[in-house]
Amino acid sequence: MDIERAIKLIEKSDTVFAAVKDRKVIFVSEERGIKPALEFFFLGKETTQGSSVADRIIGKGAAMVLSLCCCKELYGGVISRDALASLKKGGQTVQWGTVVPYIINRRGDGMCPLEKLLSNTEDPQVGLDIIKKFLMKLGGK
């Protein structure tokens, strides 16, 4: 029931990411990329644990961050193979619209940089550290 509500939010509005828990919308975002998953993660496990999350696009970075949130169930409108494998390996209940080989970067000319950076790790905590370092480098430019 919660996952259906979250999915409706991302399908029928400008919302890109939605989390529902106990029939209440607890978080929505119109931001692109990894930002919504990170913002949701930083709400804390007391808030995120047991929630149902729908995201229009789930790459491996978002998958790793969301696995640390202890969500009850996840939906990705588009999900990369590595993201799906990571979530399944972590025991997450996951649904999806389309599975793609990888998430394409914003220029549309190659692989998302986080998909590349995370290709050699399966540990979500290590993945989170890699994501943080990547974003710090971006912020320094």
Side-chain angles (χ1 to χ4, degrees):
M1 187 148 143
D2 286 347
I3 194 66
E4 289 86 6
R5 186 165 184 200
I7 292 168
K8 284 181 184 173
L9 284 167
I10 69 165
E11 288 179 340
K12 297 185 178 184
S13 69
D14 292 336
T15 301
V16 172
F17 183 105
V20 177
K21 183 176 177 180
D22 301 326
R23 294 183 294 241
K24 294 180 184 135
V25 177
I26 61 169
F27 181 83
V28 294
S29 179
E30 294 178 5
E31 299 283 342
R32 295 173 34 183
I34 191 77
K35 189 174 181 178
L38 285 171
E39 288 177 347
F40 183 65
F41 170 79
F42 286 119
L43 292 176
K45 203 175 277 188
E46 308 81 36
T47 301
T48 64
Q49 188 168 13
S51 63
S52 298
V53 171
D55 194 347
R56 285 194 190 168
I57 300 173
I58 299 180
K60 191 167 182 183
M64 289 185 145
V65 170
L66 292 171
S67 70
L68 293 171
C69 293
C70 300
C71 301
K72 177 172 61 175
E73 53 197 343
L74 299 164
Y75 170 81
V78 174
I79 190 167
S80 72
R81 272 190 236 147
D82 283 351
L84 182 57
S86 178
L87 290 168
K88 284 184 173 182
K89 184 178 180 183
Q92 293 285 308
T93 299
V94 59
Q95 301 174 42
W96 59 89
T98 304
V99 178
V100 295
Y102 57 86
I103 302 303
I104 297 171
N105 65 26
R106 290 187 183 177
R107 289 187 313 265
D109 62 359
M111 184 183 283
C112 164
L114 285 177
E115 291 269 311
K116 281 184 193 176
L117 286 172
L118 298 169
S119 64
N120 293 324
T121 187
E122 296 303 319
D123 183 325
Q125 190 60 56
V126 171
L128 180 61
D129 293 340
I130 290 169
I131 292 165
K132 286 178 183 177
K133 287 177 188 170
F134 172 76
L135 293 175
M136 287 176 67
K137 282 183 185 178
L138 281 182
K141 288 184 178 179

